[in-house]
Amino acid sequence: MATISSQQEILLMTGTSFSARAFCENDNNIGNKNLSEKERLEEACWNGLLHDMLPEICSQAGNTNKMYLWQIKEADSFIELELSEFPEVADRFFSIDPYNFITEKIFN
């Protein structure tokens, strides 16, 4: 019998007031001032600040299983967060990552 698991993708746009605001409130480390905006956003997510920044997305109604951040992918204007109950390959067909379906659009 196949195991049914939950997966979630979150795209965080860089170069926005949201991403700049999140770092001002949570940046206590002086060494982080040399990091780029994407690097600081990634570090904040790895440090567990995702639930503080986006509580409405992270708390899913009806899902009692804990979701873990397994991977962060960096793109030109966003970073993609992949959350799931355990490490698993995401299905590209259902992905919200534009780089996954842009090639399909070109062929249409």
Side-chain angles (χ1 to χ4, degrees):
M1 185 169 162
T3 303
I4 299 174
S5 66
S6 298
Q7 291 182 331
Q8 184 177 13
E9 286 179 301
I10 300 173
L11 298 182
L12 295 177
M13 306 307 289
T14 55
T16 62
S17 59
F18 167 76
S19 60
R21 177 187 57 85
F23 304 126
C24 293
E25 294 174 357
N26 296 316
D27 186 19
N28 294 329
N29 191 353
I30 297 172
N32 288 343
K33 299 201 185 294
N34 295 331
L35 298 177
S36 70
E37 180 181 342
K38 286 182 186 179
E39 292 170 336
R40 293 188 313 177
L41 186 57
E42 286 181 28
E43 185 176 334
C45 293
W46 283 124
N47 289 336
L49 295 176
L50 181 63
H51 297 287
D52 295 335
M53 292 188 296
L54 301 169
E56 62 278 357
I57 291 178
C58 296
S59 61
Q60 298 175 341
N63 188 7
T64 58
N65 298 334
K66 183 133 173 91
M67 301 281 278
Y68 299 98
L69 177 63
W70 292 107
Q71 187 172 16
I72 296 179
K73 295 179 185 176
E74 186 176 328
D76 291 335
S77 59
F78 64 89
I79 63 170
E80 176 185 0
L81 310 174
E82 292 184 8
L83 294 97
S84 63
E85 297 170 25
F86 51 87
E88 186 174 13
V89 177
D91 188 356
R92 293 182 63 181
F93 184 76
F94 296 108
S95 177
I96 61 172
D97 183 359
Y99 294 113
N100 284 338
F101 60 80
I102 196 73
T103 55
E104 302 296 325
K105 183 174 169 65
I106 291 172
F107 292 123
N108 284 338

